[in-house]
Amino acid sequence: MRLATWNVNSVRQRLPRLLAFVERWEPDVVCLQETKVADADFPSEPLLARGYSALCHGQAGRNGVAIVSRLPLEEVARALPGSPVPEDARVLAARVDDITVVNIYAVNGKEVGDPAYEVKLAWFDALHAWAASVVDPAGRVAIAGDFNVTPDDRDVHDPDLWRGRNLASEPERTRVRALTDVGLVDLGRRAAGDVVGPFTFWDYRMGAFHRGWGLRIDLVLGSALVAERLVSVEVDREERKPTAGEGKPSDHAPVIVTIDD
DNA sequence: ATGTCACTTTACAAGTGA
């Protein structure tokens, strides 16, 4: 199975690139974040024409997640129990083949000290509690999405600059470690080994992509039975370039995970 | 560190969230 995750920053703005992406990679499943569209306005038809159905949990203008698949999808959940922001569309889970795919768009947190940062930590606590009760350690589970956290300093272009700041602070990293302690493996890090990156996000401002100022915040966590079948994890870095396709790029690059069937 | 982008609104500019 080929499973991708991509924060598209508006699925309608990114539609030509999304269609080109599925034709280029032929993924079985794509988890999208920041679709920024109500379910009724999700662009299902051009995806259906390419053999992909979509399950969406959206809202107008902000947040929004969707799972796009060429394999049958069976919805498992569309809410995070105990979320401090229950009105936000941030979670969607579905059964695909023999894998439970959980698509998440984590709270950004703005900056350490901001009330939104405390909401972020509480949101991860709710995710951990839910995962600990729902994720069957003996089952096949993948939690994919925009975590808005760099798991450690290898995931940051300049650790000294980022030390202690939102996206790199210790309390958020502790929350992500709590998820891996449930028995989930960070597949991107396992595939890459002990190197810097590969990054998946570059801010739109300051020419961050051109300057290499990236972060690895788009992750796929897999249960043991998924991790043992891991073949590869790739980042479609080309897709972040303004010249890579029609229209402007998202500030995130897609991550593509291949798992042996 | 913030040189941009996408969205919204009693809309033709400014605020917001990232």
Side-chain angles (χ1 to χ4, degrees):
Chain A
M1 176 187 283
R2 185 170 278 179
L3 166 69
T5 179
W6 189 12
N7 178 323
V8 286
N9 185 22
S10 171
V11 70
R12 287 179 291 185
Q13 289 295 320
R14 226 60 65 205
L15 186 58
R17 283 174 177 252
L18 174 60
L19 298 176
F21 173 77
V22 298
E23 288 179 1
R24 184 160 73 249
W25 286 90
E26 300 184 340
D28 297 297
V29 188
V30 187
C31 294
L32 301 175
Q33 303 87 35
E34 284 206 86
T35 53
K36 296 190 175 181
V37 68
D39 291 351
D41 298 320
F42 189 91
S44 298
E45 287 78 8
L47 286 162
L48 272 176
R50 287 159 178 81
Y52 288 84
S53 64
L55 200 56
C56 4
H57 179 200
Q59 61 186 106
R62 308 172 51 222
N63 308 316
V65 284
I67 303 177
V68 171
S69 175
R70 62 180 185 179
L71 299 173
L73 285 169
E74 184 193 336
E75 182 175 315
V76 171
R78 60 169 56 228
L80 173 60
S83 170
V85 280
E87 66 281 8
D88 284 10
R90 295 184 178 276
V91 170
L92 183 62
R95 186 84 178 170
V96 192
D97 198 11
D98 63 351
I99 299 185
T100 301
V101 175
V102 181
N103 181 11
I104 69 153
Y105 172 51
V107 173
N108 174 286
K110 284 195 180 128
E111 56 181 284
V112 175
D114 192 288
Y117 180 79
E118 298 304 321
V119 171
K120 179 184 200 173
L121 299 182
W123 187 88
F124 270 106
D125 288 338
L127 179 65
H128 176 252
W130 184 66
S133 68
V134 169
V135 171
D136 175 8
R140 304 191 201 280
V141 182
I143 303 182
D146 177 0
F147 282 66
N148 270 316
V149 179
T150 54
D152 64 54
D153 279 352
R154 294 171 294 184
D155 304 310
V156 180
H157 68 94
D158 185 344
D160 290 333
L161 172 70
W162 282 89
R163 186 149 292 119
R165 293 180 53 191
N166 187 44
L167 307 181
S169 70
E170 210 42 53
E172 338 164 38
R173 287 178 168 178
T174 300
R175 293 329 188 265
V176 172
R177 269 199 301 279
L179 288 171
T180 56
D181 288 346
V182 167
L184 297 165
V185 175
D186 177 350
L187 301 180
R189 178 50 63 207
R190 171 160 291 188
D194 188 19
V195 299
V196 174
F199 303 138
T200 65
F201 163 83
W202 297 261
D203 199 290
Y204 280 127
R205 296 165 292 183
M206 296 288 291
F209 180 69
H210 180 68
R211 296 158 101 145
W213 294 352
L215 304 173
R216 189 177 72 95
I217 57 176
D218 298 276
L219 310 178
V220 181
L221 308 185
S223 63
L225 289 180
V226 170
E228 72 181 11
R229 289 198 276 174
L230 180 64
V231 174
S232 66
V233 180
E234 296 161 274
V235 177
D236 187 356
R237 195 175 175 283
E238 286 295 306
E239 174 51 47
R240 180 60 181 79
K241 296 181 178 176
T243 52
E246 194 179 327
K248 294 174 177 174
S250 170
D251 43 0
H252 295 251
V255 177
I256 305 96
V257 173
T258 303
I259 300 153
D260 247 340
D261 292 320

